[in-house]
Amino acid sequence: MLASKASAARSISRIARSYATAIDTAGLKVAAVDPSQPTAAVTVVVKAGSRYETKPGVAHALKNFAFKSTAKRTALGTIRESELYGGVLSASHSREHLALTAEFLRGDEEFFVDVLTSFITSGKFTRHEFEEYVQPVVESESHAATSDPSTHAIEVAHALAFRSGLGSSLFASPHSSITASDIKSYAASAFSKGNIAVIGSGIDQSSLAKLVEKALASASTSSAPTTTASSYFGGETRLEAHSGAQTVFVGFGAAGAPTPELATLAAHLSTQSSVKWSKGLSPIAASIPHGSSVQSVYLPYSDATLFGYLIQSSTPSGVTEAGKIAIKALKDATSAGGLKADDIKRAVAKAKFAAASAVDSREGLAALVGSKILSGSEASLDATFASLDKVNGAGVSKLASSLIASKPTYVAIGDVRALPYADELGL
C-alpha cells in the first residue's frame, strides 16, 4: 500500500509539472494536461470567492446559481443534455475562487465547454429560480455549516483573524437579504476575461484554447472585483452550543504569501499517521487523551495563511487536556534544538506529500493550478518542492517563536462555562 501511494504521488507530480499556461491575445488563461485517461474534465476558475463579494453571502449564492437558465438553455435543458452525454456538472467556491467543473467522456469537450461558458456569458439569474432553487439550498448549506462545530469554528476563526476580505464567511446568513439582482450584479463584475482561468484534463491544450477563446469571445473585459491586502488581527470569542462535540480552535495568522516553513511546521504537528491504526511519530498524537482529537489546520491563501489546531472532545476537560498538549508541542518547536534533523526531514516529506496529494483529484488539481495561474505564480510542484528542500530547523523554530509571540485566534464552541480560555492552555 505504501509503495502504491508513493507511486501515485510521483505520477500526480509528473502530471502537475506538465501543465503549460497559455494567455491569448484576449487575455484568457488556459492550461491543460492529458494523462491518457478515458474521461476528460474542464474547470472554469474565477476570482469570485467570498473575499471579493459586494454583499455578505452573494458569492455563496452565485455558486448555487451555476447551471441554471442561460440564453442558450434552461436549467432543465442543461440537466437533460448533460445526462444524454453522460457528463457530471459541479460547482464549488472558496474564499478566493468559484470553480465550475464538467467531467465527461473524451471527445465531448465542445458541448461541455459551451455549458460552462454560457453561464459566464449569458446567465439569466431569474428571480423565480433564485426563490425556488437557489435560496433553499443556500439556507440548507448555511444551516449545516452552523450546526457543525468544526466548520463553524473555522468560519468564526477567519472573521477574528482577518476581519474583512478573507474574514468574510463562505456561507450566507440563513436570513440574508440577498436578491437575484445582487447576484447578477456580482457576476457581471466578476465574470471578466482577466479574472478567469480554464483548466483541462484529458484534453489537448491547443484544442481547449480554441474552444475557450470562441466561447468566451463575448465575455466582459471590465475590471475585476478587488479587495484590500490581508492583515492579521486575532481575537477570542466563546459561543454556547448544546449539541455536537466540545470544540476549540486555537490558531495564528500570517500575512503575506504562504511560506514553506509554515507548511513544514503544520506537517510536523499533524497528528495524521502514515500507517493505519498507528499513532505515528507526531509530538501530539501519543499523548492525546482517549475520546479527544487534535487536528492540525493549515489554510494558505494568496496573501495570508491561517494555521492552528482544531481540538475536540466529548467533555470540556478533554479539550483542556488535549489543548495543553498541542500548545506545548508548538512551544517545543520554538527552541533551537526543538526540531532535530530527522524531525525536519520527516516534516518536509509530509509537506511534500500533502502538496502532491492536493492534486490527486481533478478538483484539487484545478484549484491548485487555477489559483496559481490567476495569481501569476508558477503552476507546478517543482517550485513547491524546491522551496521545501531549503527548510531548516532554525527557520521553523524562528517561525514558531513568532507565532507564539503574536495574538492568537481563539474560538470555543460548546459549554463555554467549562471550556478553557486561551491562557489556560498556556498561551
Side-chain angles (χ1 to χ4, degrees), residues 78-158:
T78 297
I79 294 172
R80 285 178 171 174
E81 290 185 63
S82 297
E83 289 187 347
L84 285 173
Y85 279 92
V88 177
L89 302 175
S90 60
S92 62
H93 79 299
S94 66
R95 284 182 160 76
E96 297 195 296
H97 304 105
L98 166 70
L100 310 171
T101 299
E103 298 176 81
F104 47 87
L105 295 172
R106 294 172 69 101
D108 292 338
E109 54 269 11
E110 183 173 359
F111 168 75
F112 284 100
V113 166
D114 187 63
V115 169
L116 295 175
T117 56
S118 62
F119 176 64
I120 300 294
T121 58
S122 65
K124 289 188 174 181
F125 301 100
T126 61
R127 188 178 68 178
H128 76 274
E129 286 184 321
F130 172 68
E131 294 176 348
E132 294 178 18
Y133 304 120
V134 176
Q135 194 170 39
V137 175
V138 168
E139 292 178 354
S140 176
E141 290 178 343
S142 298
H143 178 72
T146 305
S147 301
D148 176 36
S150 299
T151 304
H152 195 193
I154 297 296
E155 287 297 301
V156 175
H158 277 84

Side-chain angles (χ1 to χ4, degrees), residues 25 62 85 89 159 167 201 218 231 283 297 333:
T25 55
L62 176 61
Y85 279 92
L89 302 175
S201 173
S218 61
S231 297
V297 176

Side-chain angles (χ1 to χ4, degrees), residues 25-293:
T25 55
L28 293 169
K29 303 175 181 67
V30 180
V33 65
D34 189 355
S36 300
Q37 294 176 334
T39 60
V42 173
T43 298
V44 177
V45 181
V46 188
K47 287 174 66 175
S50 58
R51 74 174 298 176
Y52 301 103
E53 61 190 9
T54 52
K55 190 173 183 179
V58 71
H60 183 199
L62 176 61
K63 184 265 294 187
N64 284 294
F65 236 124
F67 313 121
K68 302 301 186 289
S69 295
T70 68
K72 291 189 175 183
R73 301 173 184 84
T74 63
L76 182 58
T78 297
I79 294 172
R80 285 178 171 174
E81 290 185 63
S82 297
E83 289 187 347
L84 285 173
Y85 279 92
V88 177
L89 302 175
S90 60
S92 62
H93 79 299
S94 66
R95 284 182 160 76
E96 297 195 296
H97 304 105
L98 166 70
L100 310 171
T101 299
E103 298 176 81
F104 47 87
L105 295 172
R106 294 172 69 101
D108 292 338
E109 54 269 11
E110 183 173 359
F111 168 75
F112 284 100
V113 166
D114 187 63
V115 169
L116 295 175
T117 56
S118 62
F119 176 64
I120 300 294
T121 58
S122 65
K124 289 188 174 181
F125 301 100
T126 61
R127 188 178 68 178
H128 76 274
E129 286 184 321
F130 172 68
E131 294 176 348
E132 294 178 18
Y133 304 120
V134 176
Q135 194 170 39
V137 175
V138 168
E139 292 178 354
S140 176
E141 290 178 343
S142 298
H143 178 72
T146 305
S147 301
D148 176 36
S150 299
T151 304
H152 195 193
I154 297 296
E155 287 297 301
V156 175
H158 277 84
L160 289 173
F162 304 112
R163 298 184 183 176
S164 59
L166 288 175
S168 299
S169 177
L170 286 175
F171 304 96
S173 167
H175 306 291
S176 173
S177 59
I178 297 171
T179 65
S181 296
D182 294 328
I183 304 167
K184 185 174 183 179
S185 176
Y186 180 57
S189 65
F191 292 166
S192 61
K193 289 184 178 181
N195 207 39
I196 297 171
V198 181
I199 315 300
S201 173
I203 180 173
D204 176 71
Q205 176 159 328
S206 61
S207 299
L208 179 60
K210 290 177 182 178
L211 289 173
V212 170
E213 183 176 356
K214 178 182 177 180
L216 292 178
S218 61
S220 169
T221 56
S222 61
S223 300
T226 59
T227 183
T228 57
S230 297
S231 297
Y232 175 71
F233 299 94
E236 182 170 350
T237 191
R238 305 170 71 79
L239 304 172
E240 185 76 32
H242 303 286
S243 61
Q246 301 295 311
T247 302
V248 160
F249 174 84
V250 53
F252 309 87
T259 66
E261 286 78 14
L262 191 50
T264 302
L265 179 62
H268 169 68
L269 296 174
S270 173
T271 58
Q272 184 174 358
S273 172
S274 299
V275 181
K276 192 175 183 180
W277 308 120
S278 168
K279 290 186 178 181
L281 300 177
S282 164
I284 301 173
S287 304
I288 298 175
H290 180 71
S292 303
S293 66

